[in-house]
Amino acid sequence: EGPARAHGSGRMVRSAAVPEPSAPSYTLNEELLEKVRVCFRDSKSTTQVVGAFRCYTITHKQFSNKWSLKAKVLCVSLKRENNAFKCRISTIKFSANEPPQIRESWKVKQITSLRELSKAKTDYKPQVNIAISGSGTESFVFDTASERSAFLGCVLVYNQRTYNKKIECQDFEPAVARRTWAEATSETDASANGAEEPTVAEASPDSKKEEEDARDLNLLEAYIRDSGFSLSDLGGLEHHLQSRLHDLDSDNIHAILSNVEEVDGVVGRVNDTLEYVDDLEEWLSVFNAKLTHMRIDISTIEERNNALETKSDNNSALLLELQRLQGALVLDDVTLQNIIITNFNESNLELAVGAARRLHGLLCTLEAAEAG
């Protein structure tokens, strides 16, 4: 009978009568592995690339229903974080004129399922769909089924070693994929590569601290025994340690001063620094003088502004008084005409008398203002 899917899961189950399929043969591409390792050499923490696989990503062409493949490299790497290893898969882009670049990266613990497809949308090539929590589904196309199987086995093996998280496997046998990867990474290949896979199981921090404390205690007991003191004579031991510390400080100072070249270098740098300090003091004195002159100029400008403001107020008051005086001195046109051109005859005698009286009143007003 053919393979049957287990109810409620993506695992493949087979009848006991059907033999296990043989794992496809795959050989690690050591040259590709070395190229991929270059991308991680500048990272602060140690990252070891354990697998690199040539693949393609599927892209949809704009304004058409056609698909295209873009060449990439899928790599599986281990990175030490907090005394443990974290496993990641990353896509790397290679170009002719630029160094390889990491384009995308996901933690293996984010993977929820792996699925094999018999052919890609663009060609009759094996494809893998990776469901990643928070990112959706990523699709990758491989040239051969063996390389696809080795990639799946690599992911499953290092997931078990680091996170031991359950990943749903659809339409492929996990055991076959693991066996493909195990055969590709035989001991002979590992020794030829000159690197061993990192041991994921690490000692706990508590056990390491206990070992360090025990080692320090043994060193202290050995020093006390060699120095001739006992734990009952802690005062003498402290005095001995203080004297030893003083001797070490003296030796350090002597060693520093005995190195003529280093001392001359330090003295030279100190002299250069003092010269810079002197120049800085001169500049500060110059700036201080300029600031003093600026303060004097500002004070002078303020005084001039105050004087101008007072003068402006006085001019305004004078203008107002002159306007009032002008209003007092103005005679109407009829009065002026009677005074200037009127003949003194009986017909216009009354007008002439009225004009004379108004002129007399104006003169009296001016005399009263002068007297006041």
Side-chain angles (χ1 to χ4, degrees), residues 156-189:
L156 293 175
V157 167
Y158 284 100
N159 168 65
Q160 185 178 7
R161 294 185 182 182
T162 54
Y163 304 109
N164 197 20
K165 176 181 176 294
K166 180 181 178 181
I167 297 178
E168 184 180 4
C169 301
Q170 302 179 13
D171 301 330
F172 74 97
E173 289 286 354
V176 175
R178 289 192 182 95
R179 193 158 58 249
T180 303
W181 175 248
E183 292 176 358
T185 56
S186 61
E187 295 181 359
T188 305
D189 294 336

Side-chain angles (χ1 to χ4, degrees), residues 24 26-28 53 145-156 176-178 180-181 184:
Y26 176 75
T27 303
L28 284 177
F53 311 89
S146 60
E147 190 164 13
R148 177 184 63 181
S149 181
F151 166 72
L152 294 173
C154 180
V155 172
L156 293 175
V176 175
R178 289 192 182 95
T180 303
W181 175 248

